[in-house]
Amino acid sequence: MVLVGGRASVRNAAETFGLDYANLLGALGELDDAWRDWRSCRGW
């Protein structure tokens, strides 16, 4: 399952798998920040 398409998809995934929406959204934000940092170090 790919989590793309915005907050609605994240909310649907959270409800489907019984996850906490706010925590999932925060974790995805941290993952996005880490990915941006990694890409900036690589010069992409």
Side-chain angles (χ1 to χ4, degrees):
M1 177 178 178
V2 178
L3 294 177
V4 294
R7 292 177 186 242
S9 293
V10 174
R11 183 177 295 277
N12 290 339
E15 290 175 3
T16 298
F17 296 107
L19 304 172
D20 183 277
Y21 173 70
N23 286 342
L24 182 57
L25 202 57
L28 290 174
E30 290 177 17
L31 182 61
D32 185 55
D33 291 344
W35 174 247
R36 288 174 195 251
D37 290 346
W38 183 83
R39 286 186 64 190
S40 68
C41 290
R42 296 278 191 190
W44 291 357

